[in-house]
Amino acid sequence: MDGSALANPGRAGVRGLLRDISSLWISGFSLSMGITTNNMAKLGVVCQGLMMAWDLGFKFIQLELDFVIVLSWLTATTENFLLDVFPLICNCRSLIERAWVVQACHVYYEANECANALAKRGNYQQQLLTIYNT
């Protein structure tokens, strides 16, 4: 997705899940972010997912993102970001730079039906954050 989505805010429900090395479920979450852009929502899910992984004590993380632009914001060395996304980028980068290994990579949206289903729940849930342990 290109940066044009930044100009079109809408209601955002984001999702994330933690799986082990064999792709077995560990935990998941859906997060209602209210009215925001797609890119802000993706950054929000990255922050929430990394915080959960850290709190659960994981030390080796493969962060999979389906938005190339957000992936580049987290991995590029440039500091030329839009002001509205800059604080979230800084939060995500500070989480990534903790004492653990985080490898970020791109995956296609269609490759993760489970996370997509959780996102739909996030659009309509009443509470800000819901964690799914099973």
Side-chain angles (χ1 to χ4, degrees):
M1 167 170 257
D2 63 19
S4 63
L6 292 173
N8 301 313
R11 187 159 178 78
V14 297
R15 80 290 188 233
L17 55 105
L18 302 174
R19 295 181 289 204
D20 67 13
I21 197 162
S22 301
S23 293
L24 296 176
W25 177 275
I26 296 172
S27 185
F29 63 91
S30 57
L31 179 65
S32 176
M33 294 196 58
I35 305 296
T36 190
T37 63
N38 288 340
N39 293 333
M40 293 280 284
K42 291 294 180 177
L43 288 167
V45 79
V46 168
C47 283
Q48 180 63 41
L50 289 173
M51 287 188 294
M52 281 181 65
W54 180 264
D55 290 345
L56 290 170
F58 293 103
K59 296 299 180 195
F60 300 95
I61 304 298
Q62 182 168 329
L63 176 63
E64 298 178 344
L65 294 168
D66 58 1
F67 270 40
V68 175
I69 186 74
V70 173
L71 180 62
S72 72
W73 289 344
L74 297 177
T75 58
T77 56
T78 182
E79 296 295 325
N80 189 16
F81 303 113
L82 298 172
L83 291 178
D84 61 341
V85 297
F86 187 70
L88 272 173
I89 293 170
C90 290
N91 286 345
C92 291
R93 284 183 169 198
S94 73
L95 288 164
I96 290 169
E97 293 169 1
R98 288 183 174 183
W100 60 351
V101 177
V102 177
Q103 295 178 329
C105 65
H106 177 259
V107 295
Y108 290 100
Y109 174 85
E110 298 82 8
N112 199 344
E113 291 180 30
C114 184
N116 297 335
L118 290 174
K120 290 176 184 166
R121 286 179 177 244
N123 279 334
Y124 303 105
Q125 69 189 38
Q126 296 298 317
Q127 60 274 45
L128 181 63
L129 174 66
T130 302
I131 300 197
Y132 306 97
N133 292 315
T134 58

